[in-house]
């Protein structure tokens, strides 16, 4: 039983090395319309956005007609329609929610993932009705940055919310993993042997 528990803890400890998920809801701070959102240390935004905007439940400031999908706030785009997000550590999966907003007659989003300058995944979709959010996802072994671009007829504002990314945290080298596993099993065996000798 103790060995099974030790094995479980060992696997659990490895999982913390392998991946780390981060979600940006754009509700982490009060809305700042007109002030470009810079992102975080883990994910730097290219400052081409309009800033974070309060949603319908906050009185619909700016008349966007949107309510975020993970909290009420969202990231707005209404003059520049593209953004680049650069990751501090390579990501493996990236997703975000997109919706047309008031003032748009059409909107297509192109969502690209890059490893350096190499395009590693791409998806494109025509968005539906205003405040009808669509999730776009890209994945690859090493994503160093993502870009998205909205295209539409004339003025075509849109919102982005629930930006998710999974980064590959420092993965221990195989020899380190093996030594750690042997150390745990050795510790369990010595405890078991000690318990047996006490009972005899």
């Amino acid at each position: 039983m103790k060995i099974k528990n030790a094995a479980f803890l060992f696997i659990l400890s490895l999982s913390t090395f392998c991946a780390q998920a981060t979600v940006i809801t754009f509700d982490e701070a009060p809305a700042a319309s007109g002030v470009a959102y810079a992102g975080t240390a883990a994910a730097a935004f290219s400052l081409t956005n309009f800033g974070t905007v309060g949603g319908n439940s906050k009185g619909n400031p700016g008349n966007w007609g949107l309510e975020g999908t993970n909290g009420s706030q969202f990231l707005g785009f209404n003059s520049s329609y593209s953004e680049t997000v650069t990751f501090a550590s390579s990501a493996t999966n990236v997703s975000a929610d997109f919706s047309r907003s008031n003032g748009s007659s059409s909107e297509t989003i192109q969502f690209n993932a890059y490893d350096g300058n190499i395009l590693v995944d791409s998806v494109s979709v025509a968005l539906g009705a205003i405040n009808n959010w669509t999730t776009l996802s890209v994945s690859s072994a090493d994503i160093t940055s993502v870009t998205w671009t909205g295209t539409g007829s004339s003025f075509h504002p849109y919102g982005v919310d629930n930006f998710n990314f999974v980064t590959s945290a420092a993965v221990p080298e195989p020899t380190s993993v093996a030594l750690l596993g042997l150390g745990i099993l050795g510790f369990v065996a010595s405890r078991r042997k000690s318990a047996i000798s006490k009972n005899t």
Side-chain angles (χ1 to χ4, degrees):
M1 188 67 162
K2 288 181 180 178
I3 291 177
K4 285 183 180 177
N5 289 341
F8 172 76
L9 290 172
F10 175 59
I11 292 168
L12 187 62
S13 69
L14 284 183
S15 68
T16 63
F17 277 112
C18 295
Q20 182 176 355
T22 303
V23 181
I24 298 175
T25 69
F26 305 107
D27 292 80
E28 292 83 1
S33 299
V35 179
Y37 175 79
T40 67
F45 284 60
S46 63
L47 304 179
T48 54
N49 57 78
F50 178 74
T52 53
V53 183
N56 292 340
S57 63
K58 291 190 173 182
N60 189 24
N63 192 35
W64 291 74
L66 297 177
E67 178 77 0
T69 60
N70 190 350
S72 63
Q73 292 180 189
F74 57 90
L75 189 65
F77 291 83
N78 70 352
S79 55
S80 176
Y81 302 109
S82 298
E83 186 78 72
T84 298
V85 183
T86 304
F87 301 108
S89 299
S90 292
T92 54
N93 297 279
V94 186
S95 68
D97 300 337
F98 296 84
S99 176
R100 288 175 50 217
S101 70
N102 284 340
S104 67
S105 57
S106 64
E107 192 77 58
T108 297
I109 300 292
Q110 180 77 38
F111 195 35
N112 296 329
Y114 292 89
D115 180 0
N117 294 322
I118 301 170
L119 180 67
V120 291
D121 197 11
S122 181
V123 62
S124 178
V125 68
L127 300 181
I130 293 165
N131 204 33
N132 183 4
W133 295 83
T134 300
T135 302
L136 297 181
S137 302
V138 287
S139 62
S140 185
D142 289 293
I143 300 174
T144 57
S145 66
V146 294
T147 65
W148 62 79
T149 301
T151 55
S153 303
S154 186
F155 181 55
H156 51 97
Y158 66 94
V160 177
D161 198 18
N162 197 35
F163 184 75
N164 285 260
F165 57 99
V166 177
T167 54
S168 303
V171 178
E173 294 187 8
T175 53
S176 301
V177 172
L179 288 173
L180 178 60
L182 288 172
I184 290 172
L185 292 176
F187 173 76
V188 170
S190 66
R191 296 272 300 183
R192 187 173 182 188
K193 184 176 180 182
S194 175
I196 291 170
S197 63
K198 284 181 183 177
N199 290 335
T200 56

